[in-house]
Amino acid sequence: MWRFRTCASGVLDRFARSARQAGALEAKGGRATVAENLQEVVGALLDSLPPAVVGLAMTRPAAASHTREGLQSGVPAFDAIQQHVTAYLQAEQHASRIPAGSDAATIALALVGTTHHLLVTRDPAQPTGTAATAQRLLAVLLPC
């Protein structure tokens, strides 16, 4: 049982790290491209945990319970990442680096939601191709 708690603690720690990294996005406004800045966050999240660990954290009752408790106690996770991405995209709108009519909140939701989906559905036996996946996703989501 302690192994599953350790697994869940590792997952929560990685979520918190990813949320902190997403929080640093606003400071990157105006630097590199918007896609490059977002790709860094998406890539870090996808590479943060091996698929087998994510699978354990979701499917083992003790690990799932510990993960749920951590999230309920306020450990930052995907909702915090989404809020940071939204704020970053809004800042880039104000800087005219993405069109003013872009729906930053919807782009952030689609990006973070798809990243979450990819994180939890990856096949442990298959290479992830994280950079290519993130590039394709961002090419579809970001307005020209």
Side-chain angles (χ1 to χ4, degrees), residues 2 7 34 51 57 63 100 121 123 139:
W2 67 268
C7 171
V34 174
T121 61
D123 181 353

Side-chain angles (χ1 to χ4, degrees), residues 35-128:
E36 288 169 340
N37 291 334
L38 291 172
Q39 184 171 346
E40 188 177 315
V41 171
V42 170
L45 185 56
L46 289 175
D47 289 339
S48 68
L49 292 165
V53 172
V54 174
L56 283 173
M58 290 179 8
T59 60
R60 300 295 186 201
S65 175
H66 187 67
T67 301
R68 192 170 30 260
E69 290 168 9
L71 293 173
Q72 290 171 345
S73 73
V75 172
F78 287 96
D79 56 340
I81 295 168
Q82 181 181 333
Q83 290 169 2
H84 290 307
V85 171
T86 298
Y88 167 72
L89 289 170
Q90 290 169 339
E92 292 291 20
Q93 276 181 311
H94 286 61
S96 300
R97 289 179 23 110
I98 63 173
S102 301
D103 186 341
T106 300
I107 294 169
L109 172 62
L111 179 64
V112 174
T114 302
T115 302
H116 178 265
H117 169 76
L118 293 170
L119 184 66
V120 300
T121 61
R122 290 183 299 172
D123 181 353
Q126 298 293 321
T128 61

